[in-house]
Each structure stands twice: as structure tokens, then as C-alpha cells.
Amino acid sequence: MGKSTDLARAKARRLKGMIKESDGIALGDERLKAEGRREQAAARRQEERAREPRGGFEH
């Protein structure tokens, strides 16, 4: 997939993690908060990989 697609997907995944964490805070559910934080961290790593230059055709 394209770089911008990968980046958009990672941002959407991070947002999903934020919502889970927020729900966990509102409900007082530590498990849900932790799961949301893990998803956000994974999405941040995914964003970093999407921003890295791709090996391919260079001039």
C-alpha cells in the first residue's frame, strides 16, 4: 500500500486506542484503559514505520 494509506490507517488505529482509553477512564475500567494505551503505542510505532523512507527506486 501507499505511504499515505499506511499513515492514515495508523492514525485511525491510534484514535481507536484513544477512544478505548477514554471509555476505560469514564467507566473506571483499568483493563480497557491499558488496552487503549497499548493500541496507541502500537499505532505510534506503525506511524513511525510509515514515515520512514521506503527502499526502492532512487535517482
Side-chain angles (χ1 to χ4, degrees), residues 13 31 33-43 45:
R13 187 173 171 203
R31 184 196 58 79
K33 283 187 344 189
E35 187 177 332
R37 287 186 189 124
R38 280 192 302 274
E39 283 186 17
Q40 288 178 67
R45 288 189 298 274

Side-chain angles (χ1 to χ4, degrees), residues 5-59:
T5 303
D6 291 343
L7 193 56
R9 183 171 284 155
K11 286 180 182 269
R13 187 173 171 203
R14 198 168 97 195
L15 180 60
K16 184 178 175 185
M18 287 179 192
I19 291 169
K20 263 189 189 176
E21 182 182 9
S22 177
D23 288 348
I25 291 168
L27 297 171
D29 186 342
E30 292 297 321
R31 184 196 58 79
L32 196 56
K33 283 187 344 189
E35 187 177 332
R37 287 186 189 124
R38 280 192 302 274
E39 283 186 17
Q40 288 178 67
R44 276 190 218 96
R45 288 189 298 274
Q46 189 178 5
E47 278 184 63
E48 289 171 12
R49 284 192 303 272
R51 285 191 177 105
E52 289 175 358
R54 303 222 176 183
F57 187 75
E58 294 183 27
H59 285 280

